[in-house]
Amino acid sequence: MNNQIAERLHALREVMRREHLAAFIFPSTDPHQSEYVADHWKGREWISGFNGSAGTAVVTMDAAALWTDSRYFIAAEEQLHDTEFQLMRLKMPGTPTIAEWINSEVGSGTSTEVAVDGTVMSTADVRELIAELRRHGGYTLRTNLDALREIWTGRPPVPQAPAYVLPLEYAGEPAREKLQRVRRALRQKHADGMLMASLDDIAWTLNLRGDDVHCNPVVVSYLLIDSQRATLYVDRRKMSPDVVSYLKEEGVGVDDYEHVRQGLKDYFEYNILMDPQEVNYTLFNICGRRKVEEESPVKRMKTVKNATEQAGFRRAMLKDGIAMVKFLKWLETEFGTKAVANSPLSTLSEITVDRKLTALRAEQPLFKDISFDTIAAYGAHGAIVHYEATPETDVPLQPEGLLLLDSGAQYLDGTTDITRTIALGPLTDEMRHVYTLVLKGHIQIEMAKFPSGISGTQLDVLAKQAMWREGLHYMHGTGHGVGSFLNVHEGPHQIRMEWKPAPLVAGMTVTDEPGIYLEGRFGVRIENTLLIVPYMKSEFGEFLQFEPLTLCPIDKRPIDVSMLTDEERQWLNDYHRMVYDRLSPYLSDDECLWLQAATTPLS
């Protein structure tokens, strides 16, 4: 048994006993419903030991369980192995809901009260949980207790990284004009103002960036907008005089982060828009004004990139492609040199390639950070969808099999996200077959033509039709939006099997990343970032297509060419020709020769 987790559970249960609680719930979010959260709010990870980005931990007086999705089944099973926590596989047959599990564990116990910290759970999620707990056992939900405040010794502080202004040459639109657009959108929703809680929405609206969250250039803050004014609630220690002056010129005042509650109490307009999916339950219930419960208009505004942002993406992808080619040539050279010299390959490992690729990206102009923790997964680790190598799990690369490499970078002018699965030597027939199925799905998405305004759900089958014919499948999404020097995951639009009604329109970015994962054997994923652009207009309206932004060869060595249609083969040849033409002017002679070989046409 993990003694550290056991001690934390014991401390939590002492609080639960004092407060007469049947269960305590730990979501993965922060007060802003962020996907990636600062260390201060990683309570679910602290109490359970599971470090995936999605999951919910629940603790009763006698049991503990953790719910997570298919991306993390393998990783969660390993990390929870020596703890009290049971793994609950979301969307799998027989998995109980949180409320069902609590009722089965607590039964006819003396307490009927369950608790969650209402500052780190969205209003929509709390409402759903309240209804579920009532249906299954008649439990009530308490939302005014942060147990971690008492039991988490050495808890990291709320981040205090300095904020900075994103220059207009990268943002493309002044903050004051964005605020005008927001107010116009609010009037259309019959709202006088709104509370903005999403950190990337605030960063985009104000052209403000920071380093408060690992890999996500955001500033922990709230933005309260009324018909005349806007106030940013933020730790003032982050704000230099220049940033405060800039915000004032854009029509934005500054107040302390903790004063947002008082700001909501003092809000004077007739009504206020609050997105129940974004605003936490505690803040939602502070403001006594009439509420307009609608999706924040900013979410869809920022997904449509202006001309400056689109140009920035292309520049960022060019730099990223240069770094990727340098890396891929280095990797191939390292293997070739060691094989010729008959020297051990143990110096090349998952962590080695992660560090090398990050160093090559850091050489590029305007590089700021990676956009997420690199997934460098060799062999069986490739079947763990969100695997991240650690000193304990790191394995040496061998001159055989597949390396799955999912990585990205933050540049001032754009955010990148790319996956390549790389042959390191001889492959099995199964590896080639699976690789080609994934490639076929990837190409089918890239070739799609579709009416403006359809949902990404309606495209998802294109990525899966070939693998479905053979009984193969993957559970994660096929594509997600990408921010403009912002969060690498951006919505609400997605390409995935589950119904997501957000429309696809020109100017949006979205990834194309089908995969197949065979537990204990290997995994394959191939990913490009795409821009949605006009295709044609007809009597049936506007049609759209995808422009690949990512510039990097797709490994041809694992392809079973006989499985590709003529159209798919032509797409790959055209893509590789574009990659070579765009990147070769920026590479050395040796790198150009390597790229030329990597992009020769398939016959």
Side-chain angles (χ1 to χ4, degrees):
M1 180 67 70
N2 186 315
N3 291 332
Q4 191 175 54
I5 299 300
E7 290 171 2
R8 293 169 182 175
L9 288 172
H10 176 76
L12 172 65
R13 286 170 175 145
E14 288 299 308
V15 174
M16 291 169 60
R17 186 174 289 106
R18 185 193 70 206
E19 300 292 333
H20 307 289
L21 298 176
F24 204 101
I25 298 173
F26 297 89
S28 296
T29 52
D30 62 7
H32 307 272
Q33 308 314 305
S34 306
E35 178 184 12
Y36 298 102
V37 304
D39 291 345
H40 178 79
W41 287 293
K42 290 183 178 178
R44 185 264 298 151
E45 178 179 337
W46 182 83
I47 197 69
S48 69
F50 168 64
N51 65 5
S53 65
T56 303
V58 184
V59 180
T60 67
M61 293 303 295
D62 301 306
L66 182 130
W67 283 254
T68 192
D69 61 52
S70 62
R71 295 172 297 169
Y72 297 109
F73 287 168
I74 300 174
E77 192 167 12
E78 292 177 356
Q79 292 177 9
L80 301 177
H81 173 66
D82 60 348
T83 74
E84 189 179 331
F85 281 90
Q86 303 170 246
L87 174 59
M88 298 293 177
R89 294 171 170 82
L90 282 171
K91 299 182 181 178
M92 299 302 289
T95 299
T97 67
I98 288 173
E100 288 171 343
W101 182 80
I102 289 174
N103 190 42
S104 68
E105 289 295 328
V106 176
S108 58
T110 56
S111 175
T112 59
E113 194 169 58
V114 175
V116 66
D117 179 2
T119 69
V120 295
M121 202 170 197
S122 75
T123 301
D125 287 346
V126 169
R127 287 172 172 172
E128 183 179 346
L129 183 59
I130 288 172
E132 276 279 303
L133 288 169
R134 284 175 179 167
R135 280 196 299 269
H136 300 282
Y139 295 93
T140 58
L141 185 66
R142 178 178 172 184
T143 61
N144 64 347
L145 176 64
D146 178 8
L148 295 174
R149 188 185 298 272
E150 296 186 41
I151 65 175
W152 190 350
T153 55
R155 184 178 187 177
V158 176
Q160 298 176 10
Y164 55 94
V165 178
L166 182 67
L168 196 58
E169 63 182 295
Y170 306 124
E173 183 182 8
R176 60 182 175 275
E177 293 183 9
K178 291 181 179 179
L179 286 167
Q180 290 172 1
R181 280 210 284 151
V182 172
R183 290 189 173 102
R184 287 196 296 269
L186 290 174
R187 285 196 292 271
Q188 291 176 355
K189 295 176 180 289
H190 306 289
D192 299 318
M194 71 174 291
L195 176 66
M196 200 182 301
S198 174
L199 301 184
D200 58 330
D201 284 6
I202 295 169
W204 176 85
T205 302
L206 300 182
N207 295 334
L208 205 63
R209 299 293 191 270
D211 297 306
D212 279 346
V213 180
H214 177 54
C215 298
N216 296 287
V218 295
V219 181
V220 172
S221 56
Y222 295 98
L223 183 62
L224 183 59
I225 301 172
D226 61 38
S227 59
Q228 303 295 326
R229 301 171 303 179
T231 303
L232 181 69
Y233 292 92
V234 63
D235 188 330
R236 290 177 186 267
R237 289 171 292 184
K238 303 177 184 179
M239 311 298 285
S240 70
D242 287 345
V243 172
V244 173
S245 177
Y246 156 79
L247 289 172
K248 184 177 180 180
E249 291 176 3
E250 300 297 311
V252 181
V254 176
D255 201 349
D256 292 328
Y257 181 70
E258 295 79 8
H259 291 175
V260 65
R261 299 188 183 207
Q262 190 61 46
L264 287 171
K265 292 176 182 177
D266 295 340
Y267 179 81
F268 65 91
E269 302 273 17
Y270 174 69
N271 63 20
I272 184 170
L273 185 145
M274 287 191 176
D275 186 340
Q277 301 286 347
E278 176 182 321
V279 178
N280 69 61
Y281 189 73
T282 299
L283 291 184
F284 188 90
N285 289 298
I286 284 177
C287 184
R289 296 290 178 177
R290 181 175 297 186
K291 298 180 182 68
V292 178
E293 297 190 26
E294 294 272 357
E295 180 185 84
S296 166
V298 178
K299 291 191 184 305
R300 302 195 184 210
M301 286 182 184
K302 78 175 187 299
T303 62
V304 179
K305 313 307 179 194
N306 60 44
T308 300
E309 291 171 324
Q310 291 182 29
F313 263 105
R314 292 188 178 97
R315 291 193 303 270
M317 296 291 174
L318 177 68
K319 290 178 287 196
D320 216 55
I322 293 168
M324 283 295 299
V325 166
K326 289 177 180 291
F327 167 80
L328 291 171
K329 180 182 179 299
W330 168 84
L331 182 63
E332 190 171 301
T333 303
E334 284 288 298
F335 265 84
T337 302
K338 289 179 181 294
V340 170
N342 199 27
S343 60
L345 294 167
S346 58
T347 54
L348 289 177
S349 71
E350 294 167 328
I351 289 179
T352 305
V353 299
D354 177 2
R355 290 173 178 167
K356 179 65 176 182
L357 180 53
T358 299
L360 288 169
R361 282 190 164 117
E363 294 174 359
Q364 296 299 314
L366 305 182
F367 175 85
K368 296 292 289 184
D369 199 355
I370 55 175
S371 56
F372 57 96
D373 288 317
T374 298
I375 299 169
Y378 174 63
H381 285 165
I384 305 173
V385 180
H386 275 205
Y387 171 80
E388 181 187 345
T390 66
E392 293 74 31
T393 65
D394 187 31
V395 295
L397 306 186
Q398 301 296 334
E400 62 182 3
L402 296 169
L403 170 68
L404 191 157
L405 187 62
D406 187 353
S407 64
Q410 295 284 8
Y411 303 93
L412 272 177
D413 46 4
T415 301
T416 69
D417 186 1
I418 174 177
T419 306
R420 291 293 183 264
T421 302
I422 305 158
L424 298 183
L427 305 176
T428 65
D429 289 342
E430 181 184 42
M431 289 174 180
R432 293 182 182 280
H433 191 77
V434 166
Y435 183 95
T436 310
L437 286 174
V438 172
L439 177 61
K440 286 172 71 68
H442 177 90
I443 294 173
Q444 287 297 322
I445 290 290
E446 297 245 9
M447 294 193 304
K449 309 293 188 284
F450 51 94
S452 178
I454 72 164
S455 165
T457 303
Q458 293 163 299
L459 296 179
D460 187 68
V461 66
L462 296 177
K464 294 173 178 170
Q465 55 187 341
M467 59 182 74
W468 280 355
R469 291 191 188 107
E470 303 192 21
L472 296 168
H473 183 47
Y474 59 92
M475 299 289 286
H476 63 73
T478 300
H480 58 81
V482 179
S484 181
F485 184 41
L486 265 177
N487 296 2
V488 73
H489 292 158
E490 183 175 86
H493 67 291
Q494 298 179 52
I495 302 175
R496 64 184 312 120
M497 188 168 64
E498 296 85 0
W499 172 239
K500 294 291 181 181
L504 300 180
V505 300
M508 286 179 167
T509 53
V510 66
T511 63
D512 170 17
E513 50 181 306
I516 295 176
Y517 313 93
L518 303 178
E519 184 173 353
R521 285 177 278 171
F522 63 92
V524 175
R525 185 163 63 250
I526 301 171
E527 175 187 19
N528 279 355
T529 299
L530 317 175
L531 177 68
I532 302 178
V533 297
Y535 170 56
M536 66 178 293
K537 288 186 178 179
S538 75
E539 59 186 301
F540 297 99
E542 181 183 12
F543 284 73
L544 306 173
Q545 63 184 346
F546 293 118
E547 172 194 332
L549 294 172
T550 300
L551 299 173
C552 180
I554 294 170
D555 198 343
K556 296 179 299 178
R557 292 168 295 184
I559 298 174
D560 180 347
V561 180
S562 68
M563 293 172 60
L564 297 181
T565 65
D566 290 345
E567 189 180 31
E568 290 166 347
R569 190 164 56 248
Q570 187 61 50
W571 180 90
L572 185 61
N573 289 341
D574 291 344
Y575 174 72
H576 277 159
R577 185 181 306 112
M578 179 192 70
V579 168
Y580 182 81
D581 290 345
R582 297 270 184 88
L583 295 181
S584 57
Y586 303 94
L587 301 172
S588 69
D589 290 345
D590 286 348
E591 290 161 351
C592 278
L593 285 173
W594 181 92
L595 182 59
Q596 187 175 44
T599 57
T600 53
L602 288 176
S603 60

